[in-house]
Amino acid sequence: MNHQARLTRQYHFCAAHRLHAKELSDDVNRKVFGKCNNLNGHGHNYTVLVTVRGEIDALTGEITDLERLDRLVTTTILERFDHRHLNHDPAFQDVVTTGENVARFIWDELVDAIPLGQLEKIGLIETRDNYFEYQGDRHG
Amino acid sequence: MNHQARLTRQYHFCAAHRLHAKELSDDVNRKVFGKCNNLNGHGHNYTVLVTVRGEIDALTGEITDLERLDRLVTTTILERFDHRHLNHDPAFQDVVTTGENVARFIWDELVDAIPLGQLEKIGLIETRDNYFEYQGDRHG
Amino acid sequence: MNHQARLTRQYHFCAAHRLHAKELSDDVNRKVFGKCNNLNGHGHNYTVLVTVRGEIDALTGEITDLERLDRLVTTTILERFDHRHLNHDPAFQDVVTTGENVARFIWDELVDAIPLGQLEKIGLIETRDNYFEYQGDRHG
Amino acid sequence: MNHQARLTRQYHFCAAHRLHAKELSDDVNRKVFGKCNNLNGHGHNYTVLVTVRGEIDALTGEITDLERLDRLVTTTILERFDHRHLNHDPAFQDVVTTGENVARFIWDELVDAIPLGQLEKIGLIETRDNYFEYQGDRHG
Amino acid sequence: MNHQARLTRQYHFCAAHRLHAKELSDDVNRKVFGKCNNLNGHGHNYTVLVTVRGEIDALTGEITDLERLDRLVTTTILERFDHRHLNHDPAFQDVVTTGENVARFIWDELVDAIPLGQLEKIGLIETRDNYFEYQGDRHG
Amino acid sequence: MNHQARLTRQYHFCAAHRLHAKELSDDVNRKVFGKCNNLNGHGHNYTVLVTVRGEIDALTGEITDLERLDRLVTTTILERFDHRHLNHDPAFQDVVTTGENVARFIWDELVDAIPLGQLEKIGLIETRDNYFEYQGDRHG
């Protein structure tokens, strides 16, 4: 029998950002992004939901090493973004800091560090009414 | 590479309703719907979750025009149901106002107004412990 | 030494209501209450917060008999209002069903049934952004 | 046309547990489970999310008999686990009480009592940042 | 008899900020404010709780004109701070943008525009674990 | 002018407990505490709300040293109770582990370690519907 389960763990960071595409004129940026394009940026309490999927280990009853996952997300994502301005991060020099792109970046950072095929999706809560989700290709 | 993402946006309306099927006798209605069939109705703070799926636009970093989505849901759903009694709406003259049917109605209203294939599902929170979800066929 | 503590317990009911003052004309009602005056009413998931205050009993470590409080609120408030239309309740024939008045009614129902001086306040959450609170005079 | 919908209903129980695998040494248990292995156990407010899927009944507008579902979950799960220590339950004598295993146990208890093919998944919220999900094989 | 009630209404804005006192050296700023002093700022989803207190009007059942309160908070607070960087606001040129000071600023803006004695307190939720409250002197 | 503000900071721990008064017979314990008296205990995700009050510092804009408060609560409360069974703690050998008593214990631990007069109250969320609050005498 198959005992596949999923674990979704939430992480949190507070960051500033501004939606602004360098390739677009100021007028078009304002039109596309509205107040999210305001000059000095704004910010959010972001919640990251990391979902991993796997077989339940018969001995430990777990599908993953939770402590290792926490360390991984803390060192690669939280220490990088928490209490930072996302637009100043190298990852977002030519990429707009939309929820879609932030979720995709987190997926890309984690997918190779998590055992093959385990990462299922990345969720990102930006405001109490806005939730983004990303599922990229699995490498290899 | 494929950069499919999802956005779920929450909307809110307060409405009254009563579960009552015209084709059923009063006794059967009471048996099937219990206190939800009480004569003068009751009500809820409804939360609507609209999930759209799409390719992340390389330029804007977004999968959809959020302002347009807000306008669409506001004019077709919120202005129609907010601070209303659902059973008095023409849509529910012969359809019981269960969470399942309200979610389906919202799907049917939105599916053709949203670019082909983008709408993924409609969620509806009725009480803090009751959540409904509907995914209909995509037309055309 | 004084060991005063407080317990706030939440209860829940779903009800319909309509803001409408019989002494006012339809035009004035519409002006004062806006969409809350819509003809067929609307509804909410109400949360009632009952706060009691008292000395911590040295033996049981409690300030009140919680089971008795639950029975009291269930029989006097929840069974009366849950899945009902508040405007049809005798209590609100000449009283508008605003959050203020609903909270006051709950205070008045509970204050004499709870040991002298124990009831401290009644809170009422009507929507996720609207919270009412009432503290009436203590009788006797 | 196909009118498949889903209902997710939340249930709640408070329980103690301790992560400890009898087949492993005390040292390995401590290494694998960390503070969750502390000798006298700890506890959680668990939330169970039961998701059923089905065709919307044309007459009642519902996909399932909610009252029956409530009775089933109450008698088989809540009365068994609420205000209990999970490690003392016969089900967990040789099975570690991880979120994965608790969710799997709930699936196994419910899947045969719910009409064929209706149960879709079991969710389990253990802490505000930990969510587990289980989808087992359907029998028969 | 006295029918005093309270209404707390929640408002929301997203903003960037940075904790930095101009009178202090960079070293001291870093020591006092830690990561909240990071150079390019960070941000939050702020929730503002405005509590007004008053006599329940015998006719309308309300203690205040809610629509007027919404307009007041929207024009004086939300349009000023939402999707902005607080440190660029004239109000915070010589005042650190701590939760305490933001709550105090909102109090000062609202206290004279709200009927005498009605404003009771300003609450400010900055993160899911940080809540600030301010009650200033009432003028005149 | 007086610039008094309040900060409420939330902390979290998961613990097991059992309501049982040694001075009472088993029958009376069962009658007073119901299922909370079940033999092997149960547990909760506890949230502790620590409220401090003070003058806003003109230079830093803060009423307290938040980092110091975090360290204090972590070392005195969280490291002691998190992932533990409260009834095994020396503090609760002759004191029932009710919410009232846990909140009082936290007050007593913190009140002397926090600058004179700053601690205002301790809140304790035990379940989503149960909230306790304690304000003891200030020493000295």
Side-chain angles (χ1 to χ4, degrees):
Chain A
M1 214 189 312
N2 195 8
H3 294 314
Q4 287 263 327
R6 286 175 180 79
L7 162 69
T8 298
R9 194 150 164 88
Q10 291 192 44
Y11 302 92
H12 306 271
F13 66 87
C14 301
H17 82 143
R18 180 198 180 201
L19 298 188
H20 185 83
K22 288 180 181 170
E23 300 86 344
L24 301 174
S25 70
D26 285 1
D27 275 5
V28 175
N29 266 297
R30 164 59 56 179
K31 197 166 177 323
V32 171
F33 297 119
K35 63 186 178 182
C36 301
N37 179 246
N38 282 352
L39 190 60
N40 300 303
H42 57 285
H44 301 293
N45 303 323
Y46 288 94
T47 297
V48 179
L49 298 96
V50 177
T51 300
V52 297
R53 181 186 54 198
E55 194 77 12
I56 302 180
D57 183 273
L59 200 54
T60 66
E62 298 182 327
I63 59 167
T64 197
D65 180 340
L66 195 51
E67 204 186 321
R68 185 182 165 283
L69 182 64
D70 285 356
R71 267 201 316 272
L72 174 67
V73 177
T74 301
T75 54
T76 60
I77 306 299
L78 304 186
E79 291 180 356
R80 179 168 184 165
F81 290 154
D82 188 32
H83 283 76
R84 303 284 174 181
H85 194 304
L86 300 181
N87 295 41
H88 288 263
D89 189 283
F92 298 111
Q93 290 320 294
D94 299 304
V95 173
V96 185
T97 55
T98 55
E100 290 92 332
N101 277 337
V102 175
R104 178 168 63 177
F105 176 81
I106 296 173
W107 170 278
D108 288 341
E109 283 295 292
L110 297 183
V111 68
D112 289 332
I114 286 179
L116 194 65
Q118 261 215 336
L119 185 62
E120 177 155 302
K121 62 181 174 183
I122 296 296
L124 184 77
I125 303 173
E126 198 187 55
T127 68
R128 65 174 184 165
D129 287 333
N130 265 13
Y131 170 71
F132 299 92
E133 207 169 273
Y134 186 78
Q135 258 179 313
D137 296 322
R138 281 183 194 79
H139 305 163
Chain B
M1 215 190 311
N2 195 6
H3 294 314
Q4 286 263 326
R6 284 175 182 79
L7 161 69
T8 298
R9 194 151 164 88
Q10 290 192 46
Y11 302 91
H12 306 271
F13 66 88
C14 301
H17 82 144
R18 180 198 180 198
L19 298 189
H20 184 84
K22 289 180 181 169
E23 300 86 345
L24 301 173
S25 70
D26 284 1
D27 275 5
V28 176
N29 266 297
R30 164 60 54 179
K31 197 167 177 325
V32 172
F33 297 120
K35 63 185 178 181
C36 301
N37 179 246
N38 281 352
L39 190 61
N40 300 303
H42 57 284
H44 301 292
N45 303 323
Y46 288 93
T47 297
V48 181
L49 298 95
V50 178
T51 300
V52 297
R53 182 185 53 198
E55 194 75 13
I56 303 180
D57 183 274
L59 199 55
T60 66
E62 297 183 328
I63 59 168
T64 197
D65 180 339
L66 195 51
E67 203 185 322
R68 187 182 163 283
L69 182 65
D70 285 357
R71 265 201 317 272
L72 174 66
V73 177
T74 301
T75 54
T76 61
I77 306 300
L78 305 186
E79 291 181 355
R80 180 168 183 166
F81 289 154
D82 188 33
H83 284 76
R84 302 284 174 182
H85 193 305
L86 299 181
N87 296 41
H88 288 263
D89 190 284
F92 297 111
Q93 289 320 294
D94 300 304
V95 173
V96 184
T97 55
T98 55
E100 290 92 331
N101 278 337
V102 174
R104 177 167 63 174
F105 175 81
I106 296 173
W107 169 278
D108 288 341
E109 284 295 292
L110 297 183
V111 69
D112 289 332
I114 286 179
L116 193 66
Q118 263 214 335
L119 186 62
E120 177 154 302
K121 62 182 174 183
I122 296 297
L124 185 77
I125 303 173
E126 198 188 54
T127 69
R128 63 174 185 166
D129 288 332
N130 265 13
Y131 170 72
F132 299 92
E133 207 169 272
Y134 186 78
Q135 259 180 313
D137 296 322
R138 281 182 195 81
H139 306 162
Chain C
M1 214 189 310
N2 195 7
H3 296 313
Q4 286 264 326
R6 284 174 182 79
L7 161 69
T8 297
R9 194 150 165 88
Q10 291 192 45
Y11 302 92
H12 306 271
F13 67 88
C14 301
H17 81 143
R18 180 199 181 199
L19 299 188
H20 184 84
K22 289 180 180 171
E23 301 86 345
L24 300 174
S25 71
D26 285 1
D27 275 5
V28 175
N29 266 296
R30 163 61 55 179
K31 196 166 177 324
V32 171
F33 297 120
K35 63 186 178 182
C36 301
N37 179 246
N38 282 353
L39 191 61
N40 299 303
H42 57 284
H44 301 293
N45 303 322
Y46 287 93
T47 297
V48 180
L49 298 96
V50 178
T51 299
V52 297
R53 182 186 52 199
E55 195 74 14
I56 301 180
D57 184 274
L59 199 55
T60 66
E62 297 182 328
I63 60 168
T64 198
D65 180 341
L66 195 51
E67 202 185 323
R68 187 183 164 281
L69 181 65
D70 285 357
R71 267 200 317 271
L72 175 66
V73 177
T74 300
T75 54
T76 60
I77 306 300
L78 305 187
E79 291 180 355
R80 181 168 182 166
F81 290 154
D82 188 33
H83 283 76
R84 302 284 175 182
H85 193 305
L86 300 181
N87 295 42
H88 287 264
D89 189 284
F92 297 111
Q93 289 319 295
D94 300 303
V95 173
V96 185
T97 55
T98 55
E100 291 92 331
N101 278 337
V102 174
R104 178 168 62 176
F105 176 80
I106 296 172
W107 170 278
D108 288 340
E109 284 296 292
L110 298 182
V111 69
D112 289 332
I114 285 178
L116 194 65
Q118 262 215 336
L119 185 62
E120 178 155 300
K121 63 181 174 184
I122 297 296
L124 185 77
I125 303 173
E126 199 188 52
T127 68
R128 64 175 185 165
D129 288 332
N130 265 13
Y131 169 71
F132 299 92
E133 206 170 273
Y134 186 78
Q135 257 179 315
D137 295 322
R138 281 182 195 81
H139 305 163
Chain D
M1 214 189 312
N2 195 7
H3 294 314
Q4 286 264 328
R6 285 173 182 80
L7 161 69
T8 297
R9 194 151 164 88
Q10 291 192 44
Y11 301 92
H12 306 271
F13 67 88
C14 301
H17 81 143
R18 179 198 181 199
L19 297 189
H20 184 83
K22 289 180 180 170
E23 300 87 344
L24 301 174
S25 71
D26 284 1
D27 275 4
V28 175
N29 266 298
R30 164 60 55 179
K31 198 166 177 324
V32 171
F33 297 121
K35 63 185 177 181
C36 301
N37 180 248
N38 282 352
L39 191 59
N40 299 304
H42 57 284
H44 301 292
N45 304 323
Y46 287 93
T47 297
V48 180
L49 298 95
V50 177
T51 300
V52 298
R53 180 186 53 198
E55 194 76 12
I56 303 180
D57 183 274
L59 200 55
T60 66
E62 298 183 328
I63 59 168
T64 197
D65 179 340
L66 194 52
E67 205 185 320
R68 187 183 164 282
L69 181 65
D70 285 357
R71 267 201 316 271
L72 174 67
V73 177
T74 300
T75 54
T76 60
I77 306 300
L78 305 187
E79 291 180 354
R80 180 168 183 165
F81 290 154
D82 189 32
H83 283 76
R84 303 285 174 182
H85 193 305
L86 300 181
N87 295 41
H88 288 263
D89 189 284
F92 298 111
Q93 289 320 294
D94 300 304
V95 173
V96 186
T97 55
T98 55
E100 290 93 332
N101 278 337
V102 175
R104 178 168 61 175
F105 175 81
I106 296 172
W107 170 278
D108 288 341
E109 283 296 292
L110 297 183
V111 68
D112 289 332
I114 286 179
L116 192 66
Q118 261 215 336
L119 186 61
E120 178 155 302
K121 61 180 175 185
I122 296 296
L124 185 77
I125 303 173
E126 198 188 54
T127 68
R128 63 175 187 165
D129 288 332
N130 265 13
Y131 169 72
F132 299 92
E133 207 169 273
Y134 185 78
Q135 259 179 312
D137 296 322
R138 280 182 196 82
H139 306 163
Chain E
M1 215 189 310
N2 196 7
H3 296 312
Q4 286 262 328
R6 286 175 182 80
L7 162 69
T8 297
R9 194 151 164 88
Q10 291 191 43
Y11 302 92
H12 306 271
F13 66 88
C14 301
H17 82 143
R18 180 198 180 199
L19 298 189
H20 184 84
K22 289 180 181 171
E23 300 86 344
L24 301 173
S25 71
D26 284 0
D27 275 4
V28 175
N29 266 297
R30 163 61 55 179
K31 196 167 178 321
V32 172
F33 298 119
K35 64 185 177 181
C36 301
N37 179 247
N38 282 353
L39 190 60
N40 299 304
H42 56 285
H44 301 294
N45 304 323
Y46 288 94
T47 297
V48 180
L49 298 95
V50 178
T51 300
V52 297
R53 181 186 54 199
E55 194 75 14
I56 303 179
D57 184 273
L59 200 54
T60 66
E62 298 182 327
I63 60 168
T64 197
D65 179 341
L66 195 51
E67 204 187 321
R68 186 182 164 281
L69 182 64
D70 285 357
R71 267 200 316 271
L72 175 66
V73 177
T74 300
T75 54
T76 60
I77 305 302
L78 305 186
E79 291 180 355
R80 180 169 182 165
F81 289 155
D82 187 33
H83 283 76
R84 302 284 174 182
H85 193 305
L86 299 181
N87 295 41
H88 288 263
D89 189 284
F92 297 111
Q93 289 319 294
D94 301 304
V95 173
V96 185
T97 54
T98 56
E100 291 92 332
N101 278 337
V102 174
R104 178 168 63 176
F105 176 81
I106 296 172
W107 171 276
D108 288 341
E109 283 295 292
L110 297 183
V111 68
D112 290 332
I114 286 178
L116 194 66
Q118 261 214 337
L119 186 62
E120 179 156 300
K121 62 181 174 185
I122 296 296
L124 186 76
I125 303 173
E126 200 188 52
T127 67
R128 63 176 186 165
D129 287 332
N130 264 14
Y131 169 72
F132 299 92
E133 207 169 273
Y134 185 78
Q135 257 179 315
D137 296 322
R138 281 183 195 78
H139 305 163
Chain F
M1 214 190 313
N2 196 7
H3 295 313
Q4 286 263 327
R6 286 175 181 80
L7 162 68
T8 297
R9 194 149 166 88
Q10 291 192 43
Y11 302 91
H12 305 272
F13 66 87
C14 300
H17 81 143
R18 180 198 181 200
L19 298 188
H20 184 84
K22 289 179 180 169
E23 300 86 345
L24 300 174
S25 70
D26 285 0
D27 275 3
V28 176
N29 266 298
R30 164 60 55 179
K31 196 168 177 323
V32 172
F33 297 120
K35 62 185 178 182
C36 301
N37 179 246
N38 282 352
L39 190 61
N40 299 304
H42 58 284
H44 301 293
N45 304 323
Y46 287 93
T47 297
V48 180
L49 298 96
V50 177
T51 300
V52 298
R53 181 187 54 198
E55 194 76 13
I56 302 179
D57 183 274
L59 200 53
T60 66
E62 298 183 328
I63 60 168
T64 197
D65 180 340
L66 195 51
E67 204 186 322
R68 186 182 165 284
L69 182 65
D70 285 356
R71 267 199 318 271
L72 174 66
V73 177
T74 301
T75 54
T76 60
I77 306 299
L78 305 187
E79 291 180 354
R80 180 168 185 166
F81 290 154
D82 188 33
H83 283 76
R84 302 284 174 182
H85 193 306
L86 299 182
N87 295 41
H88 288 263
D89 190 285
F92 297 111
Q93 289 320 294
D94 300 304
V95 173
V96 186
T97 54
T98 55
E100 291 92 330
N101 278 337
V102 175
R104 178 168 63 176
F105 176 82
I106 296 172
W107 170 277
D108 287 342
E109 283 296 292
L110 297 183
V111 69
D112 289 333
I114 286 179
L116 193 65
Q118 261 214 337
L119 186 61
E120 178 155 301
K121 61 180 175 185
I122 296 297
L124 185 77
I125 303 173
E126 199 188 52
T127 68
R128 63 175 186 167
D129 287 332
N130 265 14
Y131 169 72
F132 299 92
E133 206 170 275
Y134 185 77
Q135 259 179 313
D137 295 322
R138 282 182 194 81
H139 306 162

